[in-house]
Amino acid sequence: MPQLPIALPSQVPLSWYLILSVILFVTGAAGFLLRRNIITVFMCIELMLNAVNLTFIAFSHKLKQVDGNVFSFFVMVVAAAEAAVGLAIILTVFKNRSTLEVDEVSSMKL
Amino acid sequence: MPVNFMPTPQELFRFAPEMLLTLVATIIMVLEPLSGADGKRKFAVISFLSLAAAIALSVAAAGDPGAAFSSMIVVDGFSTFFRILVMVAGVLTILISTNYLRMEEHESGEYYALVLFSIVGQCIMVSANELIMLFIGLECSSIASYVLAGFLRDDKRNNESALKYFLLGSFATAFLLYGVAWIYGTTGYTNLSEIRRVLLDPNSNQNMVVISAATALMFVGFAFKVSAAPFQMWAPDVYQGAPAPVTAFMSVGPKAAAFAMFLRVLMTAFEPVKDRWEPLLWTSALATMVIGNFAALRQTNIKRLLAYSSIAHAGYIMVALTAHSDIGTAAAMFYLASYTFMNIGAFAVVTYIARKGERHVEIQDLAGLSQRRPVVAAMLTIFLLSLTGIPLTAGFFGKFYIFKAALDANMVWLAVLGMLNSAVAAYYYLRLIVVMYMQAPSDEMEELPAPSVGIQAAMFAAAAATVFLGVFPSVVLDYAGKSASFIR
């Protein structure tokens, strides 16, 4: 087996998962604010929810409880329902305006 | 230890209103495709009756208060108050919706089913004693409201309103959930009473930085849902674009429920760390009042004006939350009750004057309303005076108790600035009254048909409640005061 230049711990520590979840969440939030395509914006929200799931599962493993795993199922189910409604809304917007740019969907400014 | 997952009949009875409404809404969804184009009116009647029955069940369930489903749901005076409040808001919404939907040729059972599902979510929000349950209720309420906001799917304004509500709503929910996940990780619990116990325990040595960060994330989610600054920017666009009866519903039902869960979370779980969130709430309350009132001054669209006014009212309620005392909680409860009636009443009038396609929602469309429809003008005057906070209306006592709670909590400056703000608000509410009574109707205005029975009933009921709460506030306030001290 080739030698790795750094020594890896035998188990992935909790903090690695948490750091990854923070990175995912921040990426999602930044993408929500910066990207202009509605579908991409929606994907960023899903990314944020996945960061939540990762946090729940990592903590659930650390606390040796099953609760966190169950919560992540709840989050997934709700995210699926939200995606169904959200994509339907995006579809009606596209049908009426033929655009998927967030900035072009603003007719109600003062 | 053997665990019994079967709920007892007692627990099921405490959860009965939600179960009834879910059942009826599902039945409506099944019957909807089976009914002809002119058989849709029966769904309004069914949902109206089921809401009345659910109110009766909530009153009955209040006779036997306590927790249910392993303390996930708790039925106490506080949750009963808000359950009944959101259901009454639902009843008034259905009354003003029927004629509007027929006029827009979109009358269908789905609308009523969605209103009922949204109310179920709000009922769960106000009685949840657990962060995950709270999230489920919030999403039930929000997802149904997203669809309602875009209900007339060929209308561009409706699309835009639904899209903005959906994107920003889910963004806020993600923040709330991330906060919940970190709270779960650091305390090991999601039950509000357990979190409170852990935070109060001097030996638990929690990492206060993580707890504060998680609380801040949850605050973002809550502030979005109650449209408090700096997360209020979605409200004007969403309220202006949605169908008028839906705006009436969204501006009271989900808002009251969101404030109820905000209050419960702050006053039970996070009360031990109140030193950390109090300055945050103080700033947010002031900013919400200032932004709402000053932006409302230069609006010409009535729906947008009322949207900014509802932001300002959220600011007043935030003042009561900042006081974090039992008096403050009771004041917030009373204010939300009076706000529900005066705001739905005002939107009932807006629904009436907007007419088909909502072409008449500018302030100038109110010109000469006192000559064309004197009764409607008088009703709108009552609601606007109440929103201003003139004595003998509900709004006066609402503001009075909130500022009294702020003074009792030694927040003199916040109370003073709040009162100055309500003086600013008087300008834009009274301007509407001036247009109605002092300006003559222009010649090209079309004939205004008489309001439908539903709108009349909703207007009179809301006006009666507004005046009643303004003359006899103690009836509701005594109840609110008794139920303000939560099961901690």
Side-chain angles (χ1 to χ4, degrees):
Chain A
M1 207 171 109
Q3 281 290 309
L4 285 171
I6 47 165
L8 287 176
S10 58
Q11 258 191 332
V12 182
L14 175 72
S15 55
W16 290 23
Y17 288 112
L18 296 180
I19 290 167
L20 176 63
S21 96
V22 171
I23 293 171
L24 278 178
F25 192 83
V26 172
T27 315
F32 181 91
L33 298 171
L34 300 176
R35 300 307 288 261
R36 298 272 65 104
N37 184 296
I38 298 175
I39 300 281
T40 319
V41 167
F42 180 53
M43 280 157 62
C44 290
I45 293 172
E46 296 292 309
L47 200 59
M48 291 165 80
L49 290 178
N50 282 331
V52 172
N53 280 341
L54 185 62
T55 319
F56 266 130
I57 292 167
F59 276 130
S60 179
H61 183 74
K62 180 205 138 197
L63 294 167
K64 307 228 178 336
Q65 291 177 355
V66 79
D67 306 30
N69 293 322
V70 178
F71 298 156
S72 70
F73 278 117
F74 279 118
V75 176
M76 276 188 242
V77 169
V78 169
E82 218 173 52
V85 167
L87 289 174
I89 290 172
I90 294 173
L91 208 64
T92 55
V93 169
F94 184 73
K95 253 169 55 183
N96 282 334
R97 290 174 194 256
S98 316
T99 176
L100 279 178
E101 293 297 301
V102 173
D103 299 328
E104 287 173 33
V105 188
S106 59
S107 58
M108 286 183 292
K109 288 273 139 51
L110 187 69
Chain B
M1 189 183 85
V3 184
N4 184 12
F5 288 107
M6 280 305 289
T8 60
Q10 197 187 21
E11 289 178 323
L12 290 176
F13 184 62
R14 285 178 189 145
F15 198 56
E18 285 89 345
M19 291 197 291
L20 174 77
L21 292 180
T22 313
L23 190 71
V24 172
T26 316
I27 291 173
I28 291 178
M29 288 294 241
V30 173
L31 288 181
E32 150 69 24
L34 302 177
S35 68
D38 46 348
K40 307 292 189 193
R41 182 55 56 95
K42 65 171 175 289
F43 295 123
V45 178
I46 294 173
S47 44
F48 186 91
L49 293 178
S50 70
L51 277 172
I55 291 174
L57 275 176
S58 313
V59 174
D64 176 28
F69 308 124
S70 320
S71 303
M72 288 192 120
I73 292 280
V74 60
V75 174
D76 49 14
F78 182 78
S79 60
T80 306
F81 181 89
F82 278 105
R83 261 181 177 179
I84 294 175
L85 188 64
V86 295
M87 288 180 199
V88 169
V91 167
L92 293 173
T93 308
I94 288 172
L95 284 177
I96 59 178
S97 300
T98 47
N99 201 53
Y100 180 89
L101 292 172
R102 172 167 295 181
M103 194 172 64
E104 302 286 347
E105 293 156 9
H106 255 87
E107 196 172 30
S108 73
E110 290 150 33
Y111 181 91
Y112 302 107
L114 284 167
V115 170
L116 292 186
F117 280 133
S118 181
I119 290 172
V120 171
Q122 288 153 27
C123 288
I124 296 176
M125 274 158 85
V126 303
S127 44
N129 194 34
E130 214 261 339
L131 291 172
I132 293 297
M133 205 62 204
L134 197 147
F135 160 71
I136 306 267
L138 179 67
E139 282 301 280
C140 271
S141 156
S142 303
I143 293 179
S145 316
Y146 301 152
V147 185
L148 283 175
F151 196 73
L152 310 177
R153 59 175 175 269
D154 300 322
D155 186 302
K156 281 192 177 184
R157 287 170 300 175
N158 273 226
N159 291 160
E160 183 176 335
S161 163
L163 182 73
K164 286 187 174 160
Y165 197 24
F166 162 71
L167 287 179
L168 291 167
S170 348
F171 186 58
T173 310
F175 273 94
L176 178 74
L177 261 183
Y178 203 48
V180 171
W182 280 93
I183 289 287
Y184 168 71
T186 43
T187 63
Y189 294 100
T190 48
N191 186 295
L192 297 181
S193 330
E194 295 289 341
I195 295 172
R196 177 189 175 83
R197 194 178 53 73
V198 172
L199 291 181
L200 279 176
D201 185 2
N203 304 324
S204 66
N205 83 72
Q206 296 293 322
N207 185 342
M208 285 321 284
V209 177
V210 177
I211 298 270
S212 310
T215 317
L217 284 168
M218 290 179 66
F219 171 80
V220 173
F222 285 136
F224 249 109
K225 293 293 168 187
V226 301
S227 66
F231 307 106
Q232 86 297 342
M233 63 292 200
W234 59 273
D237 283 355
V238 171
Y239 286 7
Q240 187 190 344
V246 176
T247 311
F249 180 64
M250 285 194 303
S251 65
V252 294
K255 197 167 209 164
F259 265 118
M261 68 177 190
F262 202 173
L263 270 169
R264 197 188 280 277
V265 168
L266 285 185
M267 297 294 287
T268 54
F270 295 112
E271 212 208 357
V273 290
K274 60 173 181 259
D275 296 345
R276 289 172 184 265
W277 51 255
E278 201 192 274
L280 193 68
L281 242 61
W282 200 101
T283 324
S284 172
L286 181 61
T288 314
M289 289 191 292
V290 171
I291 293 175
N293 280 320
F294 281 89
L297 287 177
R298 51 195 204 109
Q299 300 305 322
T300 54
N301 181 303
I302 306 173
K303 276 166 93 183
R304 206 170 172 87
L305 186 146
L306 286 176
Y308 278 112
S309 113
S310 90
I311 293 174
H313 286 281
Y316 301 133
I317 302 169
M318 291 287 281
V319 173
L321 262 67
T322 317
H324 65 78
S325 58
D326 286 354
I327 306 173
T329 310
M333 289 165 78
F334 182 83
Y335 200 90
L336 280 164
S338 44
Y339 168 78
T340 299
F341 290 114
M342 57 204 188
N343 217 42
I344 283 211
F347 271 109
V349 177
V350 173
T351 311
Y352 165 60
I353 58 162
R355 280 168 284 168
K356 187 165 165 53
E358 293 196 15
R359 281 170 291 123
H360 303 278
V361 283
E362 295 298 312
I363 289 179
Q364 280 312 311
D365 292 318
L366 286 175
L369 191 68
S370 61
Q371 293 162 36
R372 296 193 288 161
R373 289 286 161 192
V375 179
V376 177
M379 293 287 145
L380 185 55
T381 308
I382 292 178
F383 301 131
L384 291 173
L385 289 178
S386 181
L387 287 165
T388 319
I390 303 291
L392 285 182
T393 56
F396 170 73
F397 279 109
K399 286 207 177 71
F400 176 77
Y401 291 125
I402 280 183
F403 294 137
K404 183 172 173 297
L407 288 175
D408 285 352
N410 281 324
M411 299 187 305
V412 181
W413 274 110
L414 192 57
V416 169
L417 291 169
M419 283 180 225
L420 288 176
N421 255 289
S422 44
V424 174
Y427 172 76
Y428 58 84
Y429 291 129
L430 296 181
R431 186 166 59 129
L432 294 185
I433 298 179
V434 167
V435 172
M436 276 196 301
Y437 281 90
M438 309 286 184
Q439 289 188 9
S442 63
D443 294 333
E444 64 263 36
M445 275 184 176
E446 306 159 36
E447 180 75 11
L448 256 176
S452 71
V453 182
I455 287 187
Q456 276 183 15
M459 269 190 329
F460 284 122
T466 309
V467 174
F468 179 82
L469 286 177
V471 181
F472 306 104
S474 56
V475 181
V476 172
L477 199 75
D478 284 350
Y479 181 82
K482 266 185 279 176
S483 47
S485 49
F486 306 125
I487 309 166
R488 289 204 168 107

